[in-house]
Amino acid sequence: MTTQTQQIQAPTVPARRRSSAGLSGHRFAGPLFASPALLGLAIFLVAPFVLAVVLSFYRVQLNSPRPARFVGFEQYARLFTDPDLAAAFGQALLNNFSFALIVVPVQTVLALALAVLVNRKLRGMVIFRTFIFMPLVFPLALTAVIWRLIYSRGDQGLLNAILGLFSGGTLSSHDWLGDPATALGSIIVMSIWQSVSFQMIIVLAALQSVPTELYEAASLDRASKWAQFINVTVPGIRNTLIFVALITTIFSFRLFDQVYLLSRSGSVDRGSTETVMTQIINTGFDNNNVGQAAAMTVIFMLIITVIAIIQRAAARQRGGV
Amino acid sequence: MMTIPKSTSGARILTAAAAVSIAAMALTACGGPGTGSAGPSVEAGSGEGTINVWAVDGQAAENDALKKIISSFESSQSKIKVNLKLFPSDQYTKAVNSAAPGDLPDVLDFDGPTLASFVYNGKMAPLKGSVSDATLSNQTDSIKAQNTVDNAAYGVGMMNAGLALWGNKKLLNAAGVAYPTTPEKAWTAEEFTGVLDKLATVVPGGKPLDLSEQYGFAGEWGTCCSAGPVIWSGGGTMLKDNKASGALDSEANVKSLTKFASWKKFTDPNADGLAFTNGRVALSWVGHWTYPTYKALGSDLVSIPLPNFGKGTKTASGTFAWGMGATTKNGTAAGKFLDFLMSDESVHTYTDANGAPPATKTSLATSSLYGPGKQLQLLGDQLSKACGTEDKINDNCVSVTRPVTAGYPVVTDQVGKAEAAIYAGKDAKEALSAAARAIDQNFADNDGYKK
């Protein structure tokens, strides 16, 4: 940033000013320009994290006249040694990882497929695109109501009704959200449906920036459509695909709304769908146990940081960027 | 090119999300500790002037009724004016929680199970001395139990809440099922299974029961109105001597809740909330508040006591009531207003608007819905057979008050979560023991929520 500023400013700033006040201006230009961002980071990232670390060493109860009590590493010790808490936290982490492991590859590939599909120049494509993009526009609270009807057990559930119709009545009464075996899977499907179009839009933009000359050259070489896709399209949008995979991973770990809306409103075993985020909110605000929630947040943050570092290293190797 | 900066900013989005949530916690936490140490300091005041009142922004009809009552209070005398402030229902408890005791109004609405916590935080004043003895003694026993903390009355209620099995007489007759009309004759849990078996043959989907799954068991509905009556009716409790282990995970509770979960196969998930009115089910386990919708069935609508798991049918009771802010400077005027709110005329105006059972003895007796010989007499009878709190349950009483403790948030969260897990097929002993351990840990951390 500093070098850029110097390059731009060099010809325009008069020599006289550059010698005295100008120089110090240059010295502070970087920090000055960065300060709004740094301030934002400090207020919204560093300060809350430091607060979380501090809180995690205390026993703090919301709505309690008791003063906070310093307990050292007790909240952390409980999180790993209390069998109930450790099991629940482990289960929530496992749910997060399973979610990411399925959603990231499936959603990225699906986004690419959809983008290729809607990138064709056919009549009425705008309508098609609109329909694919629509789930993202609706508020999640609204779509959750509809998905509860879809997943509802018995003959009332739309999914069961469809399955029953195609299987001649043999498959008709599964409790998609109520059965711990399928609860997370159901949320995965809904999440992909809801947000794949976001990734699709990004991939679509990248697709449209691949130079058409490359395709022309490839057709002159008599490359098949598939060969063109593998050798022109995919390398052309490689960085975007990496970006999409990264951002989907982030979204996966941030998973909260879908789980909260779908599993709180039905008769669902909460443990089977709980993610770390829902657990933190539950511990902090439903059980009023802020210290414990802070400890969970700190550990979760450390895990995410490690994942981000690994991903960053992997992306740099593969993409060469 | 953009991958690297974006990946880190992506990570920041995530950490920011986590951090903001913690920041929010930190901020709200700051409002909690340190603010509630001073004891209540009510001043009687001159008995004149303006009193501030906080209430929940309820249904339109309820709000209108409240405003009507207030204006007739103001015109009944000339010295006291009422300044009413309404809060959205999902914000109300948060507003009271985050206000320092000194910022609370002279008179405020509160939800039953939150009272103990407000008292614990020094936010509510005892009513004796400000509200007349006649008003206090006219309260039904069930609402009295809810509004009493450490043997002092902190609230008075115009309305109560009650549960029943609503039945569709046409479908019950079609299956040849005779139904009980008084709490004493309630079906036992075993008989109830047989009834469901019979009813399954006459309803279109083969699932004749609605357990109000659409409210979700893992929340307040579960504790108060779904798991609560099952636990109490089976002879169990959620807490015993401020401890959940040995109470919540008792054999009786394991047995009762397992039985309850066994009815899942007869239960319509009611995702659309229309199961009963559309005739998909013959029985609906829900509160009095559905009456305005259910009365569409006309004379086919009957109310039946909830099943008896061994110690007689039980229902939860308790709902929003009125109390005084701990630091009011105008206790006399506030007391006069509360006396007026509890008059028969005010109570009738209010409960006619929302269909709730009146919570004063005299207005319950003359209620057009819950009084003797009226359509919802069963619910009125149940509420007048009050057990009080869990520890006072016997075979003959019916309506039970939810645990009165400042630790109620953790109790309701864990009980609801356990019920949902059991209903989803988890082992009842395991789920209840885990819930009990979590509750006890939280109570231990807070020294049993004792002052």
Side-chain angles (χ1 to χ4, degrees):
Chain A
M1 193 157 179
T2 324
T3 52
Q4 263 184 350
T5 330
Q6 279 168 344
Q7 278 166 3
I8 295 164
Q9 287 190 347
T12 55
V13 176
R16 187 172 47 85
R17 289 194 54 191
R18 223 196 313 177
S19 59
S20 55
L23 258 185
S24 63
H26 279 288
R27 203 180 304 142
F28 294 116
L32 194 69
F33 279 110
S35 58
L38 288 176
L39 195 69
L41 280 179
I43 294 175
F44 294 110
L45 191 88
V46 180
F49 184 66
V50 171
L51 254 175
V53 173
V54 172
L55 273 176
S56 69
F57 291 119
Y58 283 87
R59 189 174 290 155
V60 193
Q61 185 87 3
L62 274 187
N63 299 317
S64 166
R66 263 161 217 287
R69 193 158 97 211
F70 184 78
V71 290
F73 284 92
E74 189 192 81
Q75 305 285 20
Y76 294 97
R78 276 191 194 170
L79 210 47
F80 291 107
T81 56
D82 179 323
D84 293 328
L85 215 52
F89 191 62
Q91 181 65 48
L93 269 176
L94 185 71
N95 286 346
N96 264 120
F97 275 100
S98 331
F99 185 88
L101 220 59
I102 298 174
V103 167
V104 175
V106 172
Q107 195 165 323
T108 309
V109 170
L110 208 61
L112 176 60
L114 281 173
V116 170
L117 205 67
V118 300
N119 197 28
R120 296 185 176 186
K121 292 173 180 56
L122 295 175
R123 271 175 52 189
M125 193 45 89
V126 178
I127 297 170
F128 198 41
R129 280 183 199 176
T130 311
F131 270 106
I132 292 179
F133 197 65
M134 229 179 239
L136 200 65
V137 182
F138 290 130
L140 196 62
L142 180 75
T143 48
V145 174
I146 295 166
W147 279 85
R148 268 166 59 201
L149 287 175
I150 293 176
Y151 285 141
S152 185
R153 71 192 153 78
D155 312 331
Q156 249 186 75
L158 292 176
L159 182 58
N160 281 336
I162 292 169
L163 286 178
L165 192 71
F166 285 111
S167 66
T170 44
L171 291 169
S172 70
S173 62
H174 193 72
D175 185 1
W176 298 98
L177 286 168
D179 181 350
T182 51
L184 188 64
S186 307
I187 288 176
I188 288 175
V189 170
M190 181 205 165
S191 300
I192 293 178
W193 168 84
Q194 205 258 339
S195 58
V196 70
S197 52
F198 176 67
Q199 274 82 343
M200 180 202 78
I201 291 292
I202 299 172
V203 178
L204 186 61
L207 279 183
Q208 291 173 345
S209 69
V210 177
T212 42
E213 298 87 53
L214 293 178
Y215 290 105
E216 284 163 15
S219 353
L220 284 177
D221 286 343
R222 294 187 186 162
S224 66
K225 283 282 173 199
W226 178 247
Q228 286 184 25
F229 175 74
I230 294 296
N231 297 307
V232 178
T233 313
V234 173
I237 59 167
R238 177 194 207 118
N239 282 342
T240 307
L241 285 180
I242 293 172
F243 166 67
V244 165
L246 288 178
I247 202 134
T248 315
T249 314
I250 306 293
F251 281 138
S252 309
F253 280 95
R254 221 176 54 179
L255 180 66
F256 175 77
D257 335 30
Q258 291 94 316
V259 177
Y260 189 84
L261 289 165
L262 278 185
S263 59
R264 287 293 175 97
S265 44
S267 300
V268 179
D269 175 9
R270 233 159 61 191
S272 64
T273 55
E274 197 148 65
T275 66
V276 179
M277 284 299 268
T278 59
Q279 200 175 29
I280 290 172
I281 298 291
N282 179 241
T283 309
F285 294 109
D286 296 331
N287 289 328
N288 289 344
N289 195 346
V290 179
Q292 185 71 73
M296 288 175 172
T297 311
V298 171
I299 292 178
F300 191 46
M301 174 110 164
L302 293 179
I303 294 172
I304 299 303
T305 311
V306 170
I307 293 171
I309 291 171
I310 294 172
Q311 272 200 333
R312 193 180 152 162
R316 186 178 284 155
Q317 268 178 1
R318 289 212 320 265
V321 281
Chain B
M1 277 264 291
M2 64 193 294
T3 315
I4 289 308
K6 277 294 177 183
S7 79
T8 48
S9 77
R12 278 172 198 153
I13 293 171
L14 175 68
T15 38
V20 164
S21 65
I22 270 300
M25 287 178 198
L27 288 173
T28 27
C30 290
T35 49
S37 49
S41 55
V42 176
E43 288 174 26
S46 60
E48 298 179 6
T50 302
I51 53 170
N52 290 307
V53 176
W54 283 7
V56 171
D57 194 355
Q59 308 158 14
E62 267 176 337
N63 294 347
D64 290 345
L66 184 60
K67 284 173 189 157
K68 203 171 133 195
I69 294 168
I70 288 175
S71 73
S72 46
F73 173 68
E74 286 178 335
S75 54
S76 74
Q77 42 75 44
S78 57
K79 290 173 179 166
I80 308 169
K81 293 270 166 239
V82 175
N83 177 21
L84 175 70
K85 192 170 171 189
L86 295 175
F87 291 79
S89 58
D90 56 334
Q91 304 295 319
Y92 187 76
T93 298
K94 279 184 204 136
V96 178
N97 273 332
S98 52
D103 298 335
L104 287 171
D106 304 295
V107 171
L108 69 157
D109 211 1
F110 62 84
D111 193 8
T114 62
L115 178 67
S117 159
F118 291 167
V119 172
Y120 180 68
N121 283 300
K123 293 185 172 177
M124 306 290 288
L127 298 182
K128 196 152 180 63
S130 306
V131 172
S132 78
D133 288 343
T135 298
L136 290 174
S137 62
N138 193 27
Q139 294 274 299
T140 56
D141 291 343
S142 55
I143 206 79
K144 244 186 230 167
Q146 163 186 289
N147 293 335
T148 303
V149 180
D150 299 333
N151 296 320
Y154 282 87
V156 280
M158 290 198 278
M159 59 167 178
N160 208 331
L163 303 164
L165 278 171
W166 301 94
N168 183 330
K169 197 153 72 177
K170 208 190 293 170
L171 292 171
L172 290 165
N173 287 343
V177 170
Y179 56 90
T181 50
T182 62
E184 292 74 30
K185 292 183 196 148
W187 284 313
T188 64
E190 291 303 327
E191 284 168 354
F192 190 60
T193 309
V195 166
L196 293 174
D197 250 334
K198 278 190 203 164
L199 288 171
T201 57
V202 299
V203 294
K207 292 181 189 298
L209 180 64
D210 159 36
L211 291 172
S212 297
E213 270 181 46
Q214 79 277 16
Y215 295 144
F217 290 155
E220 186 52 27
W221 165 259
T223 309
C224 121
C225 311
S226 186
V230 173
I231 286 175
W232 299 320
S233 172
T237 54
M238 297 177 200
L239 300 178
K240 191 176 266 169
D241 301 327
N242 237 13
K243 226 172 138 29
S245 295
L248 182 59
D249 56 354
S250 68
E251 272 315 306
N253 288 356
V254 169
K255 212 176 129 211
S256 309
L257 283 165
T258 307
K259 185 83 198 166
F260 176 81
S262 75
W263 296 331
K264 187 177 182 181
K265 60 175 185 284
F266 294 112
T267 307
D268 184 299
N270 198 16
D272 57 0
L274 298 171
F276 189 71
T277 43
N278 280 359
R280 287 207 311 269
V281 300
L283 295 167
S284 175
W285 178 316
V286 76
H288 73 267
W289 52 87
T290 53
Y291 177 72
T293 331
Y294 283 10
K295 70 181 175 192
L297 264 71
S299 57
D300 279 337
L301 178 71
V302 291
S303 47
I304 301 170
L306 299 181
N308 169 9
F309 289 79
K311 244 183 166 312
T313 180
K314 299 287 176 270
T315 171
S317 77
T319 181
F320 276 86
W322 298 90
M324 263 164 47
T327 59
T328 174
K329 301 276 176 288
N330 210 348
T332 310
K336 276 185 189 151
F337 177 62
L338 288 174
D339 283 336
F340 189 86
L341 277 182
M342 299 306 137
S343 68
D344 283 357
E345 197 193 339
S346 305
V347 172
H348 280 312
T349 306
Y350 197 70
T351 53
D352 284 349
N354 63 13
T360 65
K361 288 176 187 164
T362 47
S363 50
L364 185 61
T366 53
S367 163
S368 56
L369 266 181
Y370 297 91
K374 306 291 192 244
Q375 193 167 18
L376 301 184
Q377 186 191 349
L378 174 79
L379 279 90
D381 286 353
Q382 292 188 144
L383 290 172
S384 55
K385 293 187 166 76
C387 306
T389 42
E390 294 190 314
D391 49 323
K392 304 193 184 79
I393 292 176
N394 61 45
D395 287 16
N396 302 317
C397 65
V398 181
S399 63
V400 184
T401 303
R402 288 166 276 183
V404 179
T405 162
Y408 187 75
V410 70
V411 175
T412 180
D413 184 56
Q414 294 295 335
V415 172
K417 186 176 167 183
E419 188 197 18
I422 296 166
Y423 195 69
K426 198 170 181 180
D427 177 66
K429 180 77 188 172
E430 211 177 289
L432 290 170
S433 299
R437 285 192 296 268
I439 294 169
D440 286 343
Q441 179 73 69
N442 186 283
F443 272 60
D445 287 353
N446 289 282
D447 300 327
Y449 289 97
K450 293 208 160 64
K451 282 227 174 189

